[in-house]
Amino acid sequence: MNGFIKLAILGLTMTLALPVLAQRTSDYLKPSDYKGRIQRDGDYVLCWGEKVDPSFAESYEIQCWCNNKTNEFRIQLKVQNQEDLHVLDIDEELAYQIRTLIDAAVYSATNLPDKEWMQMRLEALKSDKATATVVGLDGTTFRFYNRSCGASCWSPGAGNNAALVKIYDAIYDAIGHKDIERIKAKLPDIKSLTTKYASLLQDPYKEYFILRIDKRSEGWVWAEY
């Protein structure tokens, strides 16, 4: 019970903090070296994951695993400094659609700065008030990954990345309340956001990821693309 209360408090902290800390709008994630540390755990194979690192709260990690023998799926939440592992069963369709979203988001990642930040710097240059000084801000780093690659964003306020964080907030809440319907309700948003991230890519990548939304191939859990 204490673990669940702590989990709920952390969720509330994140919900309240994000609107205050959000500073930027971005449709692209940025490449990240972080990936799931373990690709396999007994009969279970890693499908996708997210790691959240707030400035002033405990970090946590959400992962989706597939039982290689039974083809059953589960999502699990591990909170920093907690021994309990929070687990929720999930059906293959949901696991697959979220994986397709993560694939499209991760592979569309770029090192370009956020557009709002670049526009602000541009206006400063035009007004001869530019400065190279960068003031550090507190916020939350979100890291997303599939089986082979990772990408991240920092406290997104709008755009694709903010929408991606909201979907994972729903996954977080679903695990805490043991309510899979909270994720199923997001399925239209998951598919729509997959299309938006895929649209950032050129063909054949764009067409491939959009087509994947409605065509699930065998062995997708093991695939890197």
Side-chain angles (χ1 to χ4, degrees):
M1 179 63 69
N2 289 337
F4 179 76
I5 293 175
K6 197 171 185 181
L7 175 65
I9 292 174
L10 175 60
L12 179 60
T13 301
M14 293 297 298
T15 301
L16 294 175
L18 279 176
V20 177
L21 297 172
Q23 301 292 331
R24 297 178 289 182
T25 300
S26 181
D27 290 329
Y28 294 92
L29 294 173
K30 295 184 180 298
S32 169
D33 291 333
Y34 186 85
K35 295 182 291 186
R37 297 178 182 176
I38 303 174
Q39 295 289 314
R40 188 162 185 156
D41 184 7
D43 293 331
Y44 282 87
V45 179
L46 179 67
C47 300
W48 46 259
E50 178 207 34
K51 189 172 189 299
V52 178
D53 289 307
S55 293
F56 298 107
E58 294 172 316
S59 65
Y60 65 86
E61 189 159 9
I62 296 173
Q63 293 183 328
C64 177
W65 294 83
C66 171
N67 188 309
N68 188 45
K69 292 185 177 179
T70 64
N71 202 45
E72 294 175 319
F73 294 81
R74 73 184 188 194
I75 47 178
Q76 60 186 47
L77 168 66
K78 177 64 177 176
V79 181
Q80 181 184 12
N81 298 324
Q82 287 191 25
E83 294 183 2
D84 294 340
L85 188 66
H86 306 272
V87 179
L88 179 67
D89 292 333
I90 186 173
D91 60 64
E92 183 175 4
E93 176 64 12
L94 280 178
Y96 172 77
Q97 292 296 342
I98 297 171
R99 164 67 180 273
T100 301
L101 168 58
I102 292 300
D103 283 355
V106 166
Y107 293 127
S108 66
T110 175
N111 279 311
L112 289 174
D114 299 304
K115 289 183 179 180
E116 276 191 359
W117 179 259
M118 183 55 63
Q119 185 64 41
M120 183 176 67
R121 299 288 294 165
L122 174 61
E123 295 302 323
L125 279 177
K126 288 180 177 179
S127 64
D128 295 326
K129 295 180 180 179
T131 175
T133 302
V134 178
V135 179
L137 296 174
D138 294 317
T140 301
T141 299
F142 300 88
R143 296 181 174 89
F144 306 92
Y145 52 90
N146 53 23
R147 285 179 51 81
S148 59
C149 295
S152 66
C153 61
W154 179 85
S155 292
N160 292 343
N161 294 346
L164 181 60
V165 168
K166 287 182 180 178
I167 287 172
Y168 266 88
D169 283 347
I171 297 173
Y172 178 98
D173 290 338
I175 298 172
H177 291 84
K178 297 188 180 300
D179 182 9
I180 194 64
E181 297 301 324
R182 293 174 183 242
I183 305 177
K184 290 182 178 180
K186 288 292 184 180
L187 188 55
D189 295 335
I190 291 170
K191 293 182 177 181
S192 175
L193 188 56
T194 300
T195 300
K196 290 179 180 179
Y197 274 118
S199 296
L200 300 174
L201 297 163
Q202 297 180 346
D203 283 329
Y205 311 103
K206 173 183 176 180
E207 183 179 8
Y208 170 73
F209 285 115
I210 291 177
L211 188 60
R212 264 183 52 178
I213 296 172
D214 297 315
K215 288 195 173 184
R216 187 174 74 217
S217 60
E218 293 185 8
W220 66 268
V221 172
W222 296 91
E224 293 188 1
Y225 303 102

